[in-house]
């Protein structure tokens, strides 16, 4: 009797330990399951730390879709994000390396890799295509510049929304400005369009 009781207790303890070591399956956090955008599901993509250095959510960026890359890559076309010349500055300015674009695997700022990818995904958005004809190359050491402060993104089944804040400065005129912008995109498996873009705080200089 004692042997049976000891065996039962030993088996019960082992079973409890075994099941306790199997963690519950976690749901992915980078997409909202509902058809409506829920502000609780925004994912922070980038931010400035206490030293003013741009930080990226690199683990999340590695998991995003091409549609999300296109939306982020388009935003990064207009706003600086720690952009510096990769080595000596070339005569055609073709080697401007920006932190966010590099993380998105989109090459140098305004490069063929960068722009051809955006033109492919925004092929049916004439307004975006027109904007991409004028791509500025501004490195972060220039006297007139701007840059990201924060950027967050939310994605559901067919919509992407991005909200970012940025600051700009003109050291010659001793001026600074800041703004926050919200943009919305609809997408399919073959393309993406910007459906709304608005300034929700401050002014772009």
């Amino acid at each position: 009797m004692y042997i049976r009781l000891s065996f039962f207790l030993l088996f019960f303890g082992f079973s409890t330990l075994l099941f306790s070591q199997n963690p519950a399956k976690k749901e992915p956090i980078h997409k909202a399951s509902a058809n409506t955008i829920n502000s609780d599901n925004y994912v922070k993509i980038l931010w400035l730390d206490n030293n003013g250095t741009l930080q990226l959510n690199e683990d999340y960026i590695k998991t995003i879709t091409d549609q999300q890359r296109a939306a982020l890559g388009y935003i990064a076309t207009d706003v600086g994000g720690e952009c510096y010349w990769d080595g000596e500055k070339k005569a055609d300015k073709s080697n401007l390396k920006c932190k966010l674009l590099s993380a998105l695997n989109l090459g140098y700022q305004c490069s063929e890799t960068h722009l051809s990818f955006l033109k492919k995904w925004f092929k049916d958005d004439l307004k975006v295509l027109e904007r991409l004809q004028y791509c500025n190359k501004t490195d972060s050491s220039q006297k007139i510049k701007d840059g990201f402060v924060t950027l967050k993104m939310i994605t559901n089944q067919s919509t992407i929304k991005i909200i970012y804040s940025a600051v700009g400065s003109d050291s010659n005129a001793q001026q600074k400005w800041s703004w926050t912008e919200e943009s919305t995109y609809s997408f399919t498996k073959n393309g993406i369009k910007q459906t709304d873009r608005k300034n929700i705080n401050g002014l772009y200089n």
Side-chain angles (χ1 to χ4, degrees):
M1 181 68 179
Y2 177 79
I3 295 175
R4 290 183 178 179
L5 179 59
S6 298
F7 177 80
F8 175 78
L9 292 174
L10 180 63
F11 178 79
F12 179 79
F14 176 77
S15 300
T16 302
L17 178 62
L18 178 63
F19 285 107
S20 67
Q21 291 178 343
N22 290 328
K25 184 178 180 181
K26 294 182 178 180
E27 294 296 325
I29 62 173
H30 63 280
K31 283 197 175 184
S33 58
N35 288 329
T36 56
I37 291 177
N38 185 336
S39 61
D40 292 336
N41 292 316
Y42 274 100
V43 177
K44 185 182 290 187
I45 303 298
L46 61 80
W47 62 95
L48 292 183
D49 64 17
N50 293 333
N51 297 318
T53 302
L54 188 68
Q55 302 295 329
L56 300 179
N57 188 346
E58 295 183 3
D59 290 339
Y60 176 78
I61 291 174
K62 292 175 183 177
T63 71
I64 65 177
T65 65
D66 281 345
Q67 293 90 332
Q68 291 169 314
R69 288 175 64 213
L72 290 170
Y74 179 59
I75 293 295
T77 304
D78 284 333
V79 184
E82 290 195 6
C83 299
Y84 297 99
W85 303 109
D86 191 9
E88 291 294 325
K89 178 181 176 181
K90 294 185 177 181
D92 60 357
K93 301 181 180 180
S94 61
N95 60 324
L96 186 60
K97 186 175 183 179
C98 299
K99 196 166 186 177
L100 178 56
L101 285 179
S102 295
L104 295 170
N105 292 319
L106 292 181
Y108 295 126
Q109 179 82 358
C110 304
S111 65
E112 178 63 23
T113 301
H114 175 195
L115 296 181
S116 63
F117 179 82
L118 296 184
K119 290 175 181 178
K120 170 188 173 182
W121 281 98
F122 284 100
K123 59 183 180 296
D124 295 321
D125 191 326
L126 298 181
K127 191 172 182 179
V128 168
L129 291 177
E130 181 179 359
R131 168 65 190 86
L132 292 176
Q133 295 181 30
Y134 309 97
C135 187
N136 296 319
K137 302 175 183 179
T138 304
D139 74 89
S140 297
S141 65
Q142 290 192 10
K143 294 183 178 181
I144 302 176
K145 60 186 178 182
D146 56 41
F148 289 111
V149 176
T150 62
L151 186 151
K152 60 183 181 179
M153 177 175 70
I154 186 171
T155 307
N156 66 23
Q157 293 179 354
S158 61
T159 305
I160 298 169
K161 180 179 281 190
I162 295 173
I163 298 177
Y164 76 85
S165 296
V167 294
S169 63
D170 182 345
S171 59
N172 289 328
Q174 297 295 307
Q175 292 181 343
K176 291 185 178 180
W177 58 93
S178 62
W179 75 99
T180 301
E181 183 179 286
E182 176 184 284
S183 55
T184 306
Y185 307 82
S186 63
F187 66 88
T188 65
K189 64 179 181 179
N190 297 317
I192 183 172
K193 290 183 178 180
Q194 187 179 75
T195 58
D196 188 48
R197 181 176 183 176
K198 58 186 177 182
N199 194 359
I200 59 178
N201 185 45
L203 292 173
Y204 179 79
N205 194 21

